[in-house]
Each structure stands twice: as structure tokens, then as C-alpha cells.
Amino acid sequence: QVQLVESGGGSVQPGGSLRLSCAASGSIFSIYVMGWYRQAPGKQRELVAAITSGRSTNYADSVKGRFTISRDNAKNTVYLQMNSLKPEDTAVYYCNLHFLNRDYWGQGTQVTVSS
């Protein structure tokens, strides 16, 4: 069983920055993929960014050049640095871990971008 604990969400003005963190614990080994999804009201959940254990990354087109995903394998922690935030980035952000053909999810953290 894997547990994911998220932190770092909040409210920020357009152009501001936030850093999300997600720490994984439980019976987990070294080869897994972690990522961030988001869901805005009335919209489907979408992939924001993902990173493999080898640190290969993938980003949604809407966040390329603004967001950076990284991980600390020793701590089983993934980060999402979000810069130049826009109102359309407002959503609940969910941490995801994919391991042995199963998906594990965090509880979600709210990110609100408004003036």
C-alpha cells in the first residue's frame, strides 16, 4: 500500500509562483512514475507533468516553459515548480504514482490564481 501526502497549494496572483510537493511512503521500490494531474470545475482531469525514475519528463503543452517537475528518489518525493501562473491554471492538483500496474492518488490540493 502506498500513501501520498501533498503540500504547497494556495492562492497567488497572476505571474506568481508556487511549489507543490508530494511525498510517497509504503511498500514501494525504485522503479515507478510520478506525476501531477489537475481538474478545474466543469473540466476533465488532465495530465500536467510526469517524471520517471530515470528523470525523463513529459509536460502538457499548456504548461511547457512555465512548470518544472523534479524528484528526489532518496526521499520518494516529487515536486512541481510553477512559475508565471495564469488564471487558467486554477484547479485542484493531484499527485499520482504509478507502480506495478496500479495508480495511487493524493488527496488533492487547491491552486487558485486570481487578481
Side-chain angles (χ1 to χ4, degrees), residues 5-75:
V5 179
E6 302 168 331
S7 62
S11 297
V12 66
Q13 296 186 42
S17 298
L18 287 172
R19 189 191 189 204
L20 306 183
S21 299
C22 176
S25 62
S27 299
I28 185 171
F29 300 98
S30 61
I31 303 175
Y32 56 88
V33 177
M34 295 186 73
W36 292 94
Y37 290 72
R38 68 186 182 188
Q39 187 167 25
K43 302 292 182 64
Q44 294 186 349
R45 186 174 299 186
E46 65 174 350
L47 175 67
V48 177
I51 185 167
T52 69
S53 57
R55 293 186 173 86
S56 296
T57 58
N58 186 48
Y59 296 93
D61 288 341
S62 59
V63 307
K64 287 181 179 177
R66 300 188 297 121
F67 291 9
T68 302
I69 189 169
S70 61
R71 67 191 292 166
D72 184 336
N73 289 335
K75 297 181 178 180

